[in-house]
Each structure stands twice: as structure tokens, then as C-alpha cells.
């Protein structure tokens, strides 16, 4: 079966997106999805996203990691899907979509997409790192020079180590640049490699930085290897709310691929 796909990227985090409103894509088998995401033998992507119909919102997001298995929330993927949905004429400037049983609001201004994230009411602070869930689980550790970190080696060890168990976690290494700017490198589970950026990861870094009193700003700039993102939020009574992830979401190319 020939399938039309669209390639998008958000700060270097890249995705294959398929309009599956007709329900014809064979999503039950991880093999074809991992083959599409393969960077040497397929299209190449950090993940694959299906845009589907929703009875609760404008559309539904179904996200698969590069290993072919369905994943948790992907912030940059969500922003790219919003840009794609706008290109299809599903909405004009503002939208609401469904993902993993939750509803997310988003808006588009030129090539930048702002995505409202879920509230966060718990951050666990351990010796040397913090842990929180921003739609996906994230380990956050601070370092003096993030460019010197063996992200894959250290990230893989933490991702599969205690206390995360079989489900594992994403791992973020963070260097503070100034009062409200942080540089981040992320090891993503499901991709099992470093990605150029991670939306839920930079969101986790921004919230953890505020919680740990490394910044007093409720608007944080995050530098990633793929580009800059911005996270704004409000903090009230041990709860983060009005969390917004903002950054570019760019169409790369359209193609057709044979899917078995």
C-alpha cells in the first residue's frame, strides 16, 4: 500500500506525519513504523505521528516512537502536528486536539506554534537530579559543560537504571547560561539516542530550574542542538499551570512510501 507522508521538524526534532482520518494506516505492527523512521533504510525520523478524527476535539494525535511502539506525549511532535493540521485547513489560528486521552490547546503565528502543556503538581528532587512528568517522564541533571557530556552512554545507563524500572525515562543534561537561559541535550527513550531537541524535555528543564531556584523567571529560553525553544508558565501553591511550549514547526517535504 502506497502511503503519502509529510516530514516536519521542530527545532531539529523531526517527524513523519500521516493523515489517517480514513483509518487505513496499519498502525498495529511496529515493524513498518520503525522501518519508516530508520535513517538509513527509510524516510528517517525521531517518530511517526498519525492525524486521526476525534469526537472530542478538532483532531486526534497518535504518536509512535522511532522503535515503532506507541509513545507518550511528544511536545515538538504535537507542535508539528498542529502546523500540519493548519495546512489541511482543519482550523485557522487556534485549535484543540486529543492525545493520550488528554486535550491540548494550541495556536499558530507564522511558523511558530504555541502548545499548552498539562499542569505539573509534582517534582521529585533527589541528590544530583530531579524527576518529573510533563506528559512524558524526565530525569533532569545539571552540569557545568553540557558539550562534554556523553549523552548516549550516560543517558542509556540512567534511562534503564534504578529507580525507573522497565518503563524507563527520558534523560536531560542541562547547563545554565544566564538567569533565564539554559542549554539542554536529551537522550530520548524509544529513539534510544540523543535527539536534537525534545519538547517535553525542555518543558521539564524549565520547570525543574524554577523549582530548584536556579531561575526566578516564569519565562525560560532553552537552547538545544536543533534550535531555541521557549517555555512560559505560572507557579502557584506547588503547582505549575498555564505551561506553554513555543517554537518553530517547519514543513520539510512531502513524499510517498510503500507500507506493508
Amino acid at each position: 500500500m502506497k502511503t503519502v507522508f509529510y516530514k516536519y521538524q521542530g527545532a531539529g526534532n523531526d517527524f513523519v506525519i500521516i493523515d489517517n482520518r480514513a483509518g487505513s494506516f496499519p498502525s498495529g505492527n511496529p515493524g513498518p513504523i520503525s522501518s519508516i523512521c530508520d535513517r538509513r533504510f527509510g524516510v528517517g525520523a525521531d517518530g511517526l505521528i498519525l492525524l486521526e478524527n476525534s469526537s472530542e476535539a478538532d483532531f486526534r494525535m497518535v504518536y509512535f516512537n522511532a522503535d515503532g511502539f506507541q509513545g507518550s506525549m511528544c511536545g515538538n511532535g504535537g507542535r508539528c502536528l498542529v502546523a500540519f493540521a493548519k495546512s489541511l485547513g482543519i482550523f485557522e489560528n487556534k485549535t484543540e486536539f486529543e492525545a493520550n486521552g488528554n486535550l491540548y490547546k494550541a495556536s499558530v503565528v507564522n511558523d511558530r506554534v504555541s502548545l499548552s502543556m498539562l499542569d505539573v503538581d509534582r517534582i521529585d528532587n533527589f541528590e544530583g537530579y530531579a524527576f518529573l512528568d510533563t506528559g512524558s517522564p524526565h530525569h533532569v541533571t545539571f552540569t557545568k559543560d553540557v558539550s562534554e557530556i556523553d549523552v548516549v552512554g550516560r543517558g542509556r545507563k540512567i534511562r534503564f537504571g534504578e529507580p525507573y524500572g522497565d518503563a524507563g525515562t527520558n534523560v536531560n543534561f542541562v547547563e545554565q547560561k544566564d538567569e533565564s537561559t539554559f542549554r539542554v541535550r536529551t537522550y530520548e527513550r524509544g529513539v534510544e539516542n540523543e535527539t536534537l531537541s525534545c519538547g517535553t524535555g525542555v518543558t521539564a528543564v524549565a520547570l525543574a530550574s524554577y523549582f530548584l531556584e536556579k531561575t526566578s523567571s516564569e519565562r525560560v529560553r532553552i537552547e538545544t542542538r536543533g534550535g531555541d525553544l521557549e517555555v512560559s508558565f505560572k507557579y502557584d501553591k506547588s503547582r505549575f499551570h498555564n505551561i506553554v511550549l513555543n517554537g518553530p514547526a517547519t514543513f520539510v517535504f512531502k513524499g510517498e512510501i510503500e507500507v506493508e
Side-chain angles (χ1 to χ4, degrees):
M1 178 184 73
K2 287 191 179 296
T3 300
V4 175
F5 70 88
Y6 301 79
K7 182 76 174 284
Y8 274 75
Q9 62 89 12
N13 212 182
D14 60 339
F15 307 94
V16 169
I17 299 179
I18 295 172
D19 182 355
N20 195 42
R21 286 177 291 177
S24 59
F25 185 82
S27 59
N29 184 357
I33 296 173
S34 62
S35 295
I36 292 171
C37 292
D38 191 290
R39 295 196 179 277
R40 295 184 183 275
F41 299 102
V43 178
D46 292 328
L48 182 144
I49 306 172
L50 301 179
L51 184 147
E52 298 187 343
N53 294 315
S54 171
S55 60
E56 305 294 328
D58 291 336
F59 57 93
R60 177 172 177 248
M61 171 184 176
V62 183
Y63 175 70
F64 297 87
N65 290 313
D67 61 8
F69 293 94
Q70 192 165 341
S72 49
M73 182 56 183
C74 176
N76 285 331
R79 294 190 311 99
C80 286
L81 188 64
V82 167
F84 175 60
K86 178 176 171 59
S87 76
L88 296 179
I90 293 177
F91 70 96
E92 290 187 5
N93 298 310
K94 296 182 179 181
T95 187
E96 185 174 59
F97 67 94
E98 178 186 355
N100 293 325
N102 297 302
L103 295 178
Y104 292 84
K105 293 182 178 181
S107 61
V108 181
V109 178
N110 297 323
D111 69 337
R112 296 185 71 86
V113 177
S114 294
L115 174 63
S116 294
M117 306 293 283
L118 299 178
D119 293 353
V120 173
D121 58 13
R122 178 176 177 177
I123 297 179
D124 294 320
N125 183 20
F126 300 96
E127 184 177 354
Y129 70 96
F131 176 79
L132 65 158
D133 194 312
T134 54
S136 291
H138 283 276
H139 174 112
V140 178
T141 186
F142 289 84
T143 183
K144 291 183 178 180
D145 188 354
V146 76
S147 65
E148 297 298 319
I149 294 292
D150 176 9
V151 173
V152 175
R154 287 185 58 183
R156 183 176 289 127
K157 185 176 181 180
I158 295 169
R159 180 259 197 268
F160 287 108
E162 293 293 341
Y164 302 118
D166 294 338
T169 183
N170 302 283
V171 184
N172 304 272
F173 300 97
V174 190
E175 176 187 354
Q176 184 164 9
K177 302 301 293 182
D178 59 36
E179 160 63 17
S180 59
T181 304
F182 297 83
R183 183 173 294 170
V184 181
R185 295 177 66 187
T186 301
Y187 178 92
E188 280 201 53
R189 66 174 188 172
V191 180
E192 306 309 335
N193 207 337
E194 179 180 7
T195 53
L196 294 184
S197 68
C198 172
T200 55
V202 301
T203 301
V205 168
L207 303 187
S209 298
Y210 188 91
F211 183 79
L212 298 175
E213 299 182 343
K214 294 182 179 296
T215 180
S216 60
S217 176
E218 293 181 330
R219 185 178 299 272
V220 176
R221 178 170 173 253
I222 304 291
E223 298 178 353
T224 74
R225 294 179 65 195
D228 295 345
L229 295 164
E230 183 182 85
V231 180
S232 60
F233 53 86
K234 296 295 182 182
Y235 183 71
D236 179 42
K237 297 180 180 179
S238 301
R239 172 175 164 267
F240 289 93
H241 59 101
N242 290 3
I243 305 167
V244 177
L245 172 66
N246 177 273
T250 307
F251 169 72
V252 182
F253 63 86
K254 174 183 177 181
E256 190 176 69
I257 192 168
E258 188 73 33
V259 179
E260 298 181 359

